């Protein structure tokens, strides 16, 4: 007996085509909004990095490297917002262009339309998960390593002969000469960071040495002149040897112990003992870090669905759905505030980790409820029509 393969009906083909069209619109706007938001965040970070690095004598290549290493963390923060914005924008445009009306004539319902949004938000959530669990920690660790190297390699910004240098606004350094063996001859260092007690160091010789806790400037045979600006009294202290923490001269400092944010999730899961030794944190802290990273990805999954569900309220119309747009934005703000509140409540209380997922669960339930409400309202309207 030969069984004939059932053919897909016309309605199924139309809805499948509509799903592909809907997803293509969502993905294109998602890329656009992500590019714009990442650019805004990146420019803001790049300006501060430029002031810190270039003014301390580092090259443009170092500035570019640091800027690129900050991108994964920026993109991770932007993706949930851009996915939500793309969903609300595309849905609103399709309402105004009557595309949803045409789709509704083929059996399109709010719950059925959420299938395309769910596929889109799943792709966005996977990208966010990759960033939060792998790319962002790797980039953060590399950034911390390079920061430590630059903090130790201060010769570009400090060891220059015959010039008054200003590593920071309230620090002035002058070096008369530097010998081939690295010995500094005749050093002057003015420290005005404390407005009540300004100090002027002078030394016949000095060496710049690197230690585990950061670079130190070892000064020999010198004076420390302390001016008390409150009483205008000057105190002079002679020293044979004095160590000055050079990292205090720069805004860039070494990272010290590795932080959990610098370690990929795979390492947190497979090598917890080594992570505990490196970060000086316990297993509960590691578990909390993993939960927080996961909730960031889930936000990208749920936020577009919540925005789409609210946009489907009120029926299909060619008129502007500004009320739905405003309601969607307010819902996203409430969702974010609830997530921050849950993080604050769980902070330091690892046993309360399920609370981290509560805002996402509630937002998902709200999205489902709104979709069902929109579908039932539309069925009632169609049933009441003559």
């Amino acid at each position: 007996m030969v069984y004939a393969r059932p053919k897909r009906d016309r309605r199924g083909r139309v809805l499948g085509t509509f799903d592909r069209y809907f997803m293509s619109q969502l993905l294109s706007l998602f890329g656009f909004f992500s590019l714009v938001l990442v650019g805004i965040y990146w420019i803001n970070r790049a300006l501060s990095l430029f002031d810190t690095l270039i003014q301390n004598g580092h090259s443009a290549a170092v500035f570019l490297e640091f800027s690129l290493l900050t991108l994964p963390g920026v993109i991770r923060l932007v993706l949930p917002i851009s996915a939500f914005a793309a969903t609300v924008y595309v849905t609103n445009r399709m309402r105004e262009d009557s595309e949803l009306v045409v789709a509704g004539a083929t059996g399109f319902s709010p719950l059925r339309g959420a299938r395309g949004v769910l596929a889109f938000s799943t792709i966005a959530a996977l990208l966010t998960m990759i960033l939060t669990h792998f790319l962002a920690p790797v980039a953060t660790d590399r950034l911390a390593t390079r920061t430590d190297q630059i903090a130790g390699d201060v010769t570009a910004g400090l060891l220059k002969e015959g010039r008054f240098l200003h590593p920071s606004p309230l620090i002035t350094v002058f070096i008369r000469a530097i010998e081939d063996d690295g010995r500094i001859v005749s050093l002057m260092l003015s420290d005005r960071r404390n407005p009540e007690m300004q100090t002027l160091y002078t030394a016949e010789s000095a060496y710049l040495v690197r230690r585990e806790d950061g670079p130190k400037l070892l000064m020999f045979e010198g004076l420390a002149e302390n001016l008390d600006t409150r009483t205008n009294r000057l105190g002079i202290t002679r020293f044979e040897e004095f160590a000055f923490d050079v990292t205090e001269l720069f805004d860039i400092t070494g990272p010290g112990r590795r932080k959990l944010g610098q370690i990929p999730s795979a390492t947190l899961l497979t090598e917890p003992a080594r992570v505990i030794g490196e970060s000086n944190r316990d297993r509960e802290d590691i578990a909390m870090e993993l939960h927080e990273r996961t909730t960031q990805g889930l936000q990208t999954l749920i936020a577009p669905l919540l925005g789409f569900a609210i946009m489907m309220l009120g029926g299909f119309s060619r008129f502007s759905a500004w009320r739905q747009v405003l309601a969607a934005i307010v819902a996203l703000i409430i969702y974010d505030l609830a997530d921050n509140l849950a993080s604050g409540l769980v902070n330091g209380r690892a046993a309360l980790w399920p609370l981290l997922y509560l805002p996402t669960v509630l937002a998902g339930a709200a999205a489902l409820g709104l979709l069902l409400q929109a579908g039932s309202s539309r069925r009632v309207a169609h049933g009441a029509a003559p």
Side-chain angles (χ1 to χ4, degrees), residues 9-333:
D9 57 10
R10 182 175 179 273
R11 175 182 169 183
R13 290 196 299 269
V14 171
L15 291 178
T17 302
F18 182 81
D19 284 338
R20 291 191 294 271
Y21 169 74
F22 195 14
M23 276 199 62
S24 66
Q25 295 295 308
L26 290 171
L27 289 172
S28 61
L29 266 297
F30 173 64
F32 172 75
F33 284 123
S34 297
L35 184 63
V36 171
L37 293 175
V38 167
I40 294 173
Y41 275 88
W42 184 80
I43 290 174
N44 185 44
R45 295 290 299 274
L47 290 176
S48 61
L49 281 172
F50 183 86
D51 292 338
T52 301
L53 294 171
I54 301 301
Q55 289 184 6
N56 286 334
H58 300 288
S59 66
V62 175
F63 162 71
L64 180 61
E65 179 187 5
F66 272 63
S67 299
L68 292 176
L69 288 175
T70 61
L71 280 180
V74 171
I75 297 173
R76 175 188 61 184
L77 298 175
V78 161
L79 288 187
I81 302 174
S82 58
F84 170 84
T87 303
V88 172
Y89 183 89
V90 171
T91 307
N92 184 53
R93 187 179 65 185
M94 293 177 70
R95 288 172 61 105
E96 295 178 353
D97 295 343
S98 297
E99 291 177 302
L100 292 181
V101 176
V102 175
T106 63
F108 180 92
S109 67
L111 194 60
R112 175 62 178 78
R115 190 170 75 172
V117 179
L118 179 61
F120 157 71
S121 62
T122 300
I123 295 173
L126 288 176
L127 293 175
T128 307
M129 289 289 190
I130 293 173
L131 285 165
T132 56
H133 287 286
F134 177 70
L135 293 181
V138 170
T140 303
D141 184 50
R142 174 61 181 171
L143 181 62
T145 301
R146 291 290 291 124
T147 298
D148 189 30
Q149 293 173 353
I150 287 179
D153 185 18
V154 296
T155 56
L158 183 62
L159 298 185
K160 294 182 181 179
E161 299 179 354
R163 292 176 55 185
F164 285 94
L165 305 175
H166 304 278
S168 65
L170 299 178
I171 295 289
T172 301
V173 180
F174 179 82
I175 297 174
R176 184 169 67 84
I178 302 175
E179 297 182 349
D180 294 338
D181 60 354
R183 178 172 175 267
I184 299 171
V185 179
S186 297
L187 169 73
M188 186 276 292
L189 191 153
S190 175
D191 185 356
R192 304 177 302 281
R193 290 172 297 174
N194 185 350
E196 297 180 354
M197 184 66 68
Q198 300 179 6
T199 304
L200 177 66
Y201 301 95
T202 56
E204 295 184 4
S205 62
Y207 285 94
L208 186 65
V209 297
R210 184 172 183 178
R211 295 180 178 177
E212 293 183 358
D213 56 347
K216 306 293 183 183
L217 185 63
L218 300 182
M219 295 180 279
F220 302 94
E221 303 296 333
L223 296 174
E225 303 177 36
N226 301 304
L227 175 61
D228 190 338
T229 57
R230 296 167 298 182
T231 61
N232 205 29
R233 297 182 61 180
L234 179 66
I236 300 176
T237 303
R238 293 183 177 273
F239 61 83
E240 295 184 357
E241 180 178 339
F242 182 79
F244 189 89
D245 188 359
V246 177
T247 58
E248 297 179 359
L249 304 181
F250 299 89
D251 294 331
I252 299 177
T253 57
R257 287 182 176 271
R258 289 182 75 189
K259 299 179 181 178
L260 294 180
Q262 301 171 220
I263 305 174
S265 296
T267 305
L268 295 178
L269 288 170
T270 58
E271 304 179 43
R274 182 167 69 86
V275 171
I276 291 172
E278 289 184 3
S279 62
N280 197 27
R281 307 292 291 273
D282 54 27
R283 291 181 181 272
E284 292 183 349
D285 294 329
I286 295 175
M288 289 298 300
E289 178 72 19
L290 291 171
H291 287 308
E292 290 176 354
R293 293 180 184 181
T294 302
T295 54
Q296 290 179 11
L298 293 178
Q299 287 177 354
T300 313
L301 176 68
I302 298 300
L305 289 171
L306 182 61
F308 176 76
I310 295 175
M311 292 299 299
M312 296 302 291
L313 296 175
F316 301 146
S317 173
R318 296 191 61 183
F319 298 101
S320 177
W322 63 268
R323 291 185 180 87
Q324 287 87 342
V325 173
L326 181 60
I329 294 174
V330 171
L332 180 65
I333 294 174

Side-chain angles (χ1 to χ4, degrees), residues 329-355:
I329 294 174
V330 171
L332 180 65
I333 294 174
I334 294 174
Y335 180 20
D336 186 65
L337 290 176
D339 183 74
N340 292 334
L341 178 61
S343 298
L345 291 174
V346 177
N347 187 25
R349 303 178 182 91
L352 301 178
W353 65 265
L355 288 178

